[in-house]
Amino acid sequence: MPKLRALALWNGTRGMAAAFIYRVHRDCASIAWRGTWDHEFSPQVIDAWKSVASTLHSMELRIEKQLIQDEIGSHGDAIHYLDLPCRVVEAASLWQIRGENAPHTK
């Protein structure tokens, strides 16, 4: 854990997507919720990540939330809109996944 700089736990499927993200920035650390639904971190979760930020990185913790209102048609859309701090799939594969799940018009 002392070398932890980014952690993303995410899930996405047709209609919904969410991610919990911990990141170490130049001047602070942050936890973020990005999702298609609102979520509040419990005081215990905030305290635990404040401890990680201060103990391991000597930084304060910033808390962020971003509500995603885009339509999630597949896990490819979820990856795209969650803007994860690490690459979970090659760009060409992501393009293909999103294309395969796009609505087709006649």
Side-chain angles (χ1 to χ4, degrees):
M1 287 279 291
K3 294 184 180 186
L4 179 67
R5 295 285 182 239
L7 169 77
L9 303 173
W10 68 278
N11 188 25
T13 188
R14 184 177 304 276
M16 62 182 68
F20 168 85
I21 300 166
Y22 173 76
R23 253 185 146 157
V24 176
H25 308 273
R26 227 180 296 156
D27 58 341
C28 70
S30 67
I31 56 172
W33 173 262
R34 293 185 192 144
T36 54
W37 68 91
D38 193 22
H39 176 73
E40 296 292 329
F41 293 125
S42 71
Q44 295 87 352
V45 167
I46 292 170
D47 288 345
W49 285 101
K50 277 183 180 178
S51 178
V52 170
S54 67
T55 303
L56 298 182
H57 307 292
S58 300
M59 297 181 163
E60 294 202 17
L61 184 71
R62 186 173 64 213
I63 299 164
E64 304 169 350
K65 278 188 5 181
Q66 178 185 1
L67 188 60
I68 296 171
Q69 297 182 335
D70 298 282
E71 184 176 335
I72 307 297
S74 69
H75 63 286
D77 286 342
I79 293 167
H80 175 76
Y81 290 117
L82 288 173
D83 190 25
L84 301 169
C86 49
R87 186 171 68 192
V88 297
V89 65
E90 292 293 329
S93 296
L94 180 58
W95 178 81
Q96 185 176 11
I97 292 166
R98 292 186 74 209
E100 289 172 355
N101 290 287
H104 299 286
T105 58
K106 294 182 181 185

